mmCIF file with all atom_site columns, all heavy atoms in Angstrom:
data_model
loop_
_atom_site.group_PDB
_atom_site.id
_atom_site.type_symbol
_atom_site.label_atom_id
_atom_site.label_alt_id
_atom_site.label_comp_id
_atom_site.label_asym_id
_atom_site.label_entity_id
_atom_site.label_seq_id
_atom_site.pdbx_PDB_ins_code
_atom_site.Cartn_x
_atom_site.Cartn_y
_atom_site.Cartn_z
_atom_site.occupancy
_atom_site.B_iso_or_equiv
_atom_site.pdbx_formal_charge
_atom_site.auth_seq_id
_atom_site.auth_comp_id
_atom_site.auth_asym_id
_atom_site.auth_atom_id
_atom_site.pdbx_PDB_model_num
ATOM 1   N N   . LEU A 1 134 ? -3.176  -13.044 -0.915 1.00 86.00 ? 903 LEU A N   1
ATOM 2   C CA  . LEU A 1 134 ? -3.119  -13.619 0.426  1.00 86.00 ? 903 LEU A CA  1
ATOM 3   C C   . LEU A 1 134 ? -4.353  -14.414 0.792  1.00 86.00 ? 903 LEU A C   1
ATOM 4   O O   . LEU A 1 134 ? -4.306  -15.381 1.559  1.00 86.00 ? 903 LEU A O   1
ATOM 5   C CB  . LEU A 1 134 ? -2.886  -12.538 1.521  1.00 86.00 ? 903 LEU A CB  1
ATOM 6   C CG  . LEU A 1 134 ? -1.597  -11.744 1.425  1.00 86.00 ? 903 LEU A CG  1
ATOM 7   C CD1 . LEU A 1 134 ? -1.621  -10.629 2.403  1.00 86.00 ? 903 LEU A CD1 1
ATOM 8   C CD2 . LEU A 1 134 ? -0.464  -12.659 1.658  1.00 86.00 ? 903 LEU A CD2 1
ATOM 9   N N   . PHE A 1 135 ? -5.554  -14.021 0.324  1.00 84.00 ? 904 PHE A N   1
ATOM 10  C CA  . PHE A 1 135 ? -6.775  -14.559 0.737  1.00 84.00 ? 904 PHE A CA  1
ATOM 11  C C   . PHE A 1 135 ? -7.374  -15.573 -0.218 1.00 84.00 ? 904 PHE A C   1
ATOM 12  O O   . PHE A 1 135 ? -8.409  -16.112 0.012  1.00 84.00 ? 904 PHE A O   1
ATOM 13  C CB  . PHE A 1 135 ? -7.825  -13.463 0.940  1.00 84.00 ? 904 PHE A CB  1
ATOM 14  C CG  . PHE A 1 135 ? -7.334  -12.365 1.884  1.00 84.00 ? 904 PHE A CG  1
ATOM 15  C CD1 . PHE A 1 135 ? -7.652  -11.064 1.701  1.00 84.00 ? 904 PHE A CD1 1
ATOM 16  C CD2 . PHE A 1 135 ? -6.554  -12.701 3.028  1.00 84.00 ? 904 PHE A CD2 1
ATOM 17  C CE1 . PHE A 1 135 ? -7.277  -10.065 2.575  1.00 84.00 ? 904 PHE A CE1 1
ATOM 18  C CE2 . PHE A 1 135 ? -6.113  -11.690 3.860  1.00 84.00 ? 904 PHE A CE2 1
ATOM 19  C CZ  . PHE A 1 135 ? -6.482  -10.375 3.687  1.00 84.00 ? 904 PHE A CZ  1
ATOM 20  N N   . HIS A 1 136 ? -6.721  -15.820 -1.338 1.00 78.00 ? 905 HIS A N   1
ATOM 21  C CA  . HIS A 1 136 ? -7.294  -16.712 -2.400 1.00 78.00 ? 905 HIS A CA  1
ATOM 22  C C   . HIS A 1 136 ? -7.564  -18.085 -1.929 1.00 78.00 ? 905 HIS A C   1
ATOM 23  O O   . HIS A 1 136 ? -8.381  -18.823 -2.524 1.00 78.00 ? 905 HIS A O   1
ATOM 24  C CB  . HIS A 1 136 ? -6.460  -16.689 -3.716 1.00 78.00 ? 905 HIS A CB  1
ATOM 25  C CG  . HIS A 1 136 ? -5.200  -17.454 -3.583 1.00 78.00 ? 905 HIS A CG  1
ATOM 26  N ND1 . HIS A 1 136 ? -4.058  -16.977 -2.953 1.00 78.00 ? 905 HIS A ND1 1
ATOM 27  C CD2 . HIS A 1 136 ? -4.895  -18.779 -3.945 1.00 78.00 ? 905 HIS A CD2 1
ATOM 28  C CE1 . HIS A 1 136 ? -3.104  -17.838 -2.977 1.00 78.00 ? 905 HIS A CE1 1
ATOM 29  N NE2 . HIS A 1 136 ? -3.578  -18.964 -3.569 1.00 78.00 ? 905 HIS A NE2 1
ATOM 30  N N   . GLU A 1 137 ? -6.901  -18.591 -0.846 1.00 70.00 ? 906 GLU A N   1
ATOM 31  C CA  . GLU A 1 137 ? -7.191  -19.953 -0.367 1.00 70.00 ? 906 GLU A CA  1
ATOM 32  C C   . GLU A 1 137 ? -7.824  -19.996 0.978  1.00 70.00 ? 906 GLU A C   1
ATOM 33  O O   . GLU A 1 137 ? -7.525  -20.827 1.766  1.00 70.00 ? 906 GLU A O   1
ATOM 34  C CB  . GLU A 1 137 ? -5.852  -20.700 -0.378 1.00 70.00 ? 906 GLU A CB  1
ATOM 35  C CG  . GLU A 1 137 ? -4.699  -20.038 0.493  1.00 70.00 ? 906 GLU A CG  1
ATOM 36  C CD  . GLU A 1 137 ? -3.432  -20.762 0.435  1.00 70.00 ? 906 GLU A CD  1
ATOM 37  O OE1 . GLU A 1 137 ? -2.681  -20.558 -0.540 1.00 70.00 ? 906 GLU A OE1 1
ATOM 38  O OE2 . GLU A 1 137 ? -3.230  -21.561 1.387  1.00 70.00 ? 906 GLU A OE2 1
ATOM 39  N N   . TYR A 1 138 ? -8.751  -19.040 1.246  1.00 63.00 ? 907 TYR A N   1
ATOM 40  C CA  . TYR A 1 138 ? -9.407  -18.994 2.480  1.00 63.00 ? 907 TYR A CA  1
ATOM 41  C C   . TYR A 1 138 ? -10.215 -20.257 2.660  1.00 63.00 ? 907 TYR A C   1
ATOM 42  O O   . TYR A 1 138 ? -10.984 -20.659 1.835  1.00 63.00 ? 907 TYR A O   1
ATOM 43  C CB  . TYR A 1 138 ? -10.335 -17.808 2.625  1.00 63.00 ? 907 TYR A CB  1
ATOM 44  C CG  . TYR A 1 138 ? -10.772 -17.519 4.024  1.00 63.00 ? 907 TYR A CG  1
ATOM 45  C CD1 . TYR A 1 138 ? -9.810  -16.868 4.905  1.00 63.00 ? 907 TYR A CD1 1
ATOM 46  C CD2 . TYR A 1 138 ? -11.990 -17.889 4.530  1.00 63.00 ? 907 TYR A CD2 1
ATOM 47  C CE1 . TYR A 1 138 ? -10.195 -16.623 6.237  1.00 63.00 ? 907 TYR A CE1 1
ATOM 48  C CE2 . TYR A 1 138 ? -12.279 -17.595 5.795  1.00 63.00 ? 907 TYR A CE2 1
ATOM 49  C CZ  . TYR A 1 138 ? -11.458 -16.998 6.655  1.00 63.00 ? 907 TYR A CZ  1
ATOM 50  O OH  . TYR A 1 138 ? -11.768 -16.735 7.966  1.00 63.00 ? 907 TYR A OH  1
ATOM 51  N N   . PRO A 1 139 ? -9.979  -21.028 3.810  1.00 59.00 ? 908 PRO A N   1
ATOM 52  C CA  . PRO A 1 139 ? -10.489 -22.354 3.905  1.00 59.00 ? 908 PRO A CA  1
ATOM 53  C C   . PRO A 1 139 ? -11.940 -22.479 4.190  1.00 59.00 ? 908 PRO A C   1
ATOM 54  O O   . PRO A 1 139 ? -12.539 -23.454 3.852  1.00 59.00 ? 908 PRO A O   1
ATOM 55  C CB  . PRO A 1 139 ? -9.730  -22.944 5.159  1.00 59.00 ? 908 PRO A CB  1
ATOM 56  C CG  . PRO A 1 139 ? -9.333  -21.795 5.899  1.00 59.00 ? 908 PRO A CG  1
ATOM 57  C CD  . PRO A 1 139 ? -9.072  -20.630 4.874  1.00 59.00 ? 908 PRO A CD  1
ATOM 58  N N   . ASN A 1 140 ? -12.585 -21.459 4.692  1.00 61.00 ? 909 ASN A N   1
ATOM 59  C CA  . ASN A 1 140 ? -14.046 -21.542 5.005  1.00 61.00 ? 909 ASN A CA  1
ATOM 60  C C   . ASN A 1 140 ? -14.886 -21.107 3.861  1.00 61.00 ? 909 ASN A C   1
ATOM 61  O O   . ASN A 1 140 ? -16.132 -21.137 3.933  1.00 61.00 ? 909 ASN A O   1
ATOM 62  C CB  . ASN A 1 140 ? -14.384 -20.565 6.188  1.00 61.00 ? 909 ASN A CB  1
ATOM 63  C CG  . ASN A 1 140 ? -13.726 -21.111 7.465  1.00 61.00 ? 909 ASN A CG  1
ATOM 64  O OD1 . ASN A 1 140 ? -13.342 -22.232 7.555  1.00 61.00 ? 909 ASN A OD1 1
ATOM 65  N ND2 . ASN A 1 140 ? -13.585 -20.233 8.432  1.00 61.00 ? 909 ASN A ND2 1
ATOM 66  N N   . ALA A 1 141 ? -14.333 -20.767 2.714  1.00 58.00 ? 910 ALA A N   1
ATOM 67  C CA  . ALA A 1 141 ? -15.082 -20.392 1.532  1.00 58.00 ? 910 ALA A CA  1
ATOM 68  C C   . ALA A 1 141 ? -16.148 -21.450 1.137  1.00 58.00 ? 910 ALA A C   1
ATOM 69  O O   . ALA A 1 141 ? -17.263 -21.208 0.792  1.00 58.00 ? 910 ALA A O   1
ATOM 70  C CB  . ALA A 1 141 ? -14.208 -19.988 0.324  1.00 58.00 ? 910 ALA A CB  1
ATOM 71  N N   . SER A 1 142 ? -15.725 -22.735 1.218  1.00 61.00 ? 911 SER A N   1
ATOM 72  C CA  . SER A 1 142 ? -16.626 -23.793 0.727  1.00 61.00 ? 911 SER A CA  1
ATOM 73  C C   . SER A 1 142 ? -17.835 -23.945 1.668  1.00 61.00 ? 911 SER A C   1
ATOM 74  O O   . SER A 1 142 ? -18.931 -24.369 1.205  1.00 61.00 ? 911 SER A O   1
ATOM 75  C CB  . SER A 1 142 ? -15.877 -25.106 0.694  1.00 61.00 ? 911 SER A CB  1
ATOM 76  O OG  . SER A 1 142 ? -15.357 -25.469 1.934  1.00 61.00 ? 911 SER A OG  1
ATOM 77  N N   . SER A 1 143 ? -17.646 -23.568 2.941  1.00 68.00 ? 912 SER A N   1
ATOM 78  C CA  . SER A 1 143 ? -18.847 -23.644 3.872  1.00 68.00 ? 912 SER A CA  1
ATOM 79  C C   . SER A 1 143 ? -19.904 -22.646 3.562  1.00 68.00 ? 912 SER A C   1
ATOM 80  O O   . SER A 1 143 ? -21.021 -22.789 3.976  1.00 68.00 ? 912 SER A O   1
ATOM 81  C CB  . SER A 1 143 ? -18.345 -23.499 5.331  1.00 68.00 ? 912 SER A CB  1
ATOM 82  O OG  . SER A 1 143 ? -17.815 -22.232 5.544  1.00 68.00 ? 912 SER A OG  1
ATOM 83  N N   . TYR A 1 144 ? -19.546 -21.593 2.855  1.00 68.00 ? 913 TYR A N   1
ATOM 84  C CA  . TYR A 1 144 ? -20.520 -20.620 2.396  1.00 68.00 ? 913 TYR A CA  1
ATOM 85  C C   . TYR A 1 144 ? -21.132 -20.921 1.026  1.00 68.00 ? 913 TYR A C   1
ATOM 86  O O   . TYR A 1 144 ? -21.983 -20.251 0.596  1.00 68.00 ? 913 TYR A O   1
ATOM 87  C CB  . TYR A 1 144 ? -19.889 -19.176 2.328  1.00 68.00 ? 913 TYR A CB  1
ATOM 88  C CG  . TYR A 1 144 ? -19.435 -18.650 3.687  1.00 68.00 ? 913 TYR A CG  1
ATOM 89  C CD1 . TYR A 1 144 ? -18.111 -18.595 3.965  1.00 68.00 ? 913 TYR A CD1 1
ATOM 90  C CD2 . TYR A 1 144 ? -20.357 -18.149 4.612  1.00 68.00 ? 913 TYR A CD2 1
ATOM 91  C CE1 . TYR A 1 144 ? -17.712 -18.120 5.221  1.00 68.00 ? 913 TYR A CE1 1
ATOM 92  C CE2 . TYR A 1 144 ? -19.896 -17.746 5.843  1.00 68.00 ? 913 TYR A CE2 1
ATOM 93  C CZ  . TYR A 1 144 ? -18.613 -17.658 6.142  1.00 68.00 ? 913 TYR A CZ  1
ATOM 94  O OH  . TYR A 1 144 ? -18.199 -17.175 7.307  1.00 68.00 ? 913 TYR A OH  1
ATOM 95  N N   . ASN A 1 145 ? -20.655 -22.038 0.466  1.00 79.00 ? 914 ASN A N   1
ATOM 96  C CA  . ASN A 1 145 ? -21.202 -22.398 -0.854 1.00 79.00 ? 914 ASN A CA  1
ATOM 97  C C   . ASN A 1 145 ? -20.977 -21.320 -1.922 1.00 79.00 ? 914 ASN A C   1
ATOM 98  O O   . ASN A 1 145 ? -21.773 -21.056 -2.718 1.00 79.00 ? 914 ASN A O   1
ATOM 99  C CB  . ASN A 1 145 ? -22.574 -22.796 -0.794 1.00 79.00 ? 914 ASN A CB  1
ATOM 100 C CG  . ASN A 1 145 ? -22.913 -23.877 -1.873 1.00 79.00 ? 914 ASN A CG  1
ATOM 101 O OD1 . ASN A 1 145 ? -22.014 -24.443 -2.477 1.00 79.00 ? 914 ASN A OD1 1
ATOM 102 N ND2 . ASN A 1 145 ? -24.206 -24.177 -1.965 1.00 79.00 ? 914 ASN A ND2 1
ATOM 103 N N   . ILE A 1 146 ? -19.821 -20.602 -1.797 1.00 80.00 ? 915 ILE A N   1
ATOM 104 C CA  . ILE A 1 146 ? -19.383 -19.570 -2.696 1.00 80.00 ? 915 ILE A CA  1
ATOM 105 C C   . ILE A 1 146 ? -17.958 -19.875 -3.143 1.00 80.00 ? 915 ILE A C   1
ATOM 106 O O   . ILE A 1 146 ? -17.197 -20.272 -2.330 1.00 80.00 ? 915 ILE A O   1
ATOM 107 C CB  . ILE A 1 146 ? -19.387 -18.178 -1.946 1.00 80.00 ? 915 ILE A CB  1
ATOM 108 C CG1 . ILE A 1 146 ? -20.765 -17.820 -1.518 1.00 80.00 ? 915 ILE A CG1 1
ATOM 109 C CG2 . ILE A 1 146 ? -18.883 -17.086 -2.804 1.00 80.00 ? 915 ILE A CG2 1
ATOM 110 C CD1 . ILE A 1 146 ? -20.918 -16.568 -0.631 1.00 80.00 ? 915 ILE A CD1 1
ATOM 111 N N   . PRO A 1 147 ? -17.621 -19.583 -4.382 1.00 82.00 ? 916 PRO A N   1
ATOM 112 C CA  . PRO A 1 147 ? -16.270 -19.863 -4.826 1.00 82.00 ? 916 PRO A CA  1
ATOM 113 C C   . PRO A 1 147 ? -15.263 -18.933 -4.070 1.00 82.00 ? 916 PRO A C   1
ATOM 114 O O   . PRO A 1 147 ? -15.584 -17.821 -3.605 1.00 82.00 ? 916 PRO A O   1
ATOM 115 C CB  . PRO A 1 147 ? -16.311 -19.374 -6.306 1.00 82.00 ? 916 PRO A CB  1
ATOM 116 C CG  . PRO A 1 147 ? -17.709 -19.482 -6.725 1.00 82.00 ? 916 PRO A CG  1
ATOM 117 C CD  . PRO A 1 147 ? -18.520 -19.165 -5.492 1.00 82.00 ? 916 PRO A CD  1
#
Side-chain angles (χ1 to χ4, degrees):
L903 295 175
F904 307 143
H905 74 279
E906 58 182 82
Y907 196 76
N909 293 342
S911 60
S912 66
Y913 293 108
N914 211 12
I915 296 174

